[in-house]
Amino acid sequence: MRELVCECCGRWRVSVELIHGRYRYRLTHRYPARHGGGKNVLGEATTIPELTALLHRHTPLTLANLKNP
């Protein structure tokens, strides 16, 4: 599994998984350890345009703000 992380704080993450021959992008938000840690799955997408729309709905980020850790 690969993961893309936001450049600003590292709390927004998009994991890329291959499931049954199709790629699935999962958007998660990680909480800092001082707040108990953990993650919240905000949604999944199967295409890049769907991922862009998902990012626009839930985050202040675009695809350009994500990088490989």
Side-chain angles (χ1 to χ4, degrees), residues 2 7 9 11 28 31 35 41 47 49-50 54 57 66:
R2 293 184 7 217
E7 294 177 337
C9 62
R11 291 175 26 198
T28 60
Y31 296 103
H35 295 293
V41 176
T47 64
E50 287 178 8
L54 185 65
R57 267 194 317 268
L66 300 173

Side-chain angles (χ1 to χ4, degrees), residues 10-27:
R11 291 175 26 198
W12 301 100
R13 297 172 184 249
V14 175
S15 63
V16 182
E17 302 175 27
L18 184 63
I19 300 173
H20 298 294
R22 298 197 59 172
Y23 285 101
R24 184 166 292 295
Y25 306 96
R26 182 175 292 153
L27 175 63

Side-chain angles (χ1 to χ4, degrees), residues 51-65:
L51 176 60
T52 303
L54 185 65
L55 283 169
H56 181 70
R57 267 194 317 268
H58 294 288
T59 71
L61 304 173
T62 63
L63 287 175
N65 299 115

